[in-house]
Amino acid sequence: MTERLGEYCSYCERWIASGIHVEHKKPKKEYPETEFQWSNFLLACGNCNSGKGHGQLNLDDYVWPDSDNTLLAFSYDAQGRVLPNKIHAEPINRKIETTWLALGLNKHPDRQITGQQTPSSKDKRWLHRQQAWQNASKRKSQLAVFDSEERRAEIVEMALQRGFWSVWMTVFQDDADMRRRLIEAFPGTAKACFDKNTQPIQRPGGQI
């Protein structure tokens, strides 16, 4: 799994130093017939895995990182927030919001946005996402002063060390070369989810 996806949470995208979980999209207790099905596996951090929980689950009620283009599902900002992209047809918007809530991607100290909830003291995903944004912005500013092949390679290397691929893709949204490098570098990235200009497009066979 880590060779295919890297040591990153499939949901919040952070690099996981230890304690990475093999996540069953369909909980193994309720769906023992899928316990060993490769297509039912993802990787998850403790926060995302515990947030998703157990119980009966209809896969069609969610969007999934291994079958949909989740960069079209969510947007990211400098405060470390993940927000549902309400740009789709209403049934898809509902699935995106259901996924957002189920995985706890709505956890952020700022509760001014409807649906957001205060994270526990152990849930630092929002903070790490905010730090990734700051790192990416700093590297982007440095690149504007002095652009070189070496510096671009270093930025990709730093992104790989920290994770949060979508944050880096967002910060470098106007730099197609950097986005192309990030798409190539992160394991498990579905290249068919992007057009020739690195803009996200619907994943073949996916809902979005």
Side-chain angles (χ1 to χ4, degrees):
M1 290 292 290
T2 55
E3 287 182 9
R4 186 168 71 96
L5 301 175
E7 293 179 304
Y8 308 100
C9 176
S10 299
Y11 301 119
C12 72
E13 304 180 1
R14 64 176 162 174
W15 178 69
I16 304 170
S18 62
I20 194 166
H21 297 206
V22 175
E23 206 276 305
H24 292 74
K25 291 163 64 179
K26 280 192 165 185
K28 54 189 177 184
K29 180 179 178 181
E30 286 78 9
Y31 302 93
E33 71 278 9
T34 64
E35 182 175 359
F36 301 109
Q37 284 183 4
W38 184 258
S39 61
N40 197 41
F41 295 161
L42 288 172
L43 295 175
C45 67
N47 293 119
C48 287
N49 200 21
S50 61
K52 180 167 163 282
H54 304 285
Q56 297 292 318
L57 177 151
N58 181 2
L59 292 181
D60 291 338
D61 291 339
Y62 302 81
V63 293
W64 298 99
D66 60 337
S67 55
D68 296 302
N69 188 345
T70 49
L71 195 58
L72 287 172
F74 302 108
S75 61
Y76 301 80
D77 68 17
Q79 284 71 48
R81 288 182 292 222
V82 182
L83 298 169
N85 258 343
K86 297 183 178 179
I87 58 174
H88 309 279
E90 189 49 35
I92 295 296
N93 285 341
R94 280 201 299 274
K95 293 180 183 186
I96 291 171
E97 183 159 3
T98 299
T99 306
W100 183 62
L101 295 171
L103 295 170
L105 298 176
N106 62 328
K107 301 292 178 63
H108 192 279
D110 178 5
R111 295 181 56 192
Q112 295 183 32
I113 295 176
T114 302
Q116 285 196 325
Q117 295 180 335
T118 303
S120 71
S121 59
K122 295 181 179 179
D123 186 354
K124 304 291 186 186
R125 289 175 293 177
W126 69 273
L127 179 60
H128 296 161
R129 205 159 32 237
Q130 184 184 71
Q131 291 168 343
W133 184 286
Q134 292 168 351
N135 278 328
S137 296
K138 182 177 180 180
R139 299 307 180 270
K140 184 180 180 183
S141 297
Q142 292 173 341
L143 198 61
V145 175
F146 179 69
D147 196 336
S148 70
E149 173 65 29
E150 183 180 18
R151 180 160 283 182
R152 285 178 178 267
E154 288 173 352
I155 291 172
V156 172
E157 188 174 336
M158 172 169 284
L160 287 169
Q161 291 172 356
R162 308 292 176 90
F164 297 111
W165 175 85
S166 293
V167 170
W168 289 84
M169 286 289 286
T170 303
V171 171
F172 284 96
Q173 60 184 337
D174 57 352
D175 188 330
D177 176 73
M178 279 305 306
R179 285 171 62 104
R180 195 169 292 113
R181 290 170 188 254
L182 292 165
I183 291 168
E184 291 288 338
F186 272 79
T189 304
K191 297 177 179 61
C193 286
F194 301 90
D195 66 16
K196 63 180 181 181
N197 297 315
T198 71
Q199 295 305 303
I201 56 177
Q202 181 171 343
R203 187 167 187 162
Q207 304 174 93
I208 55 173

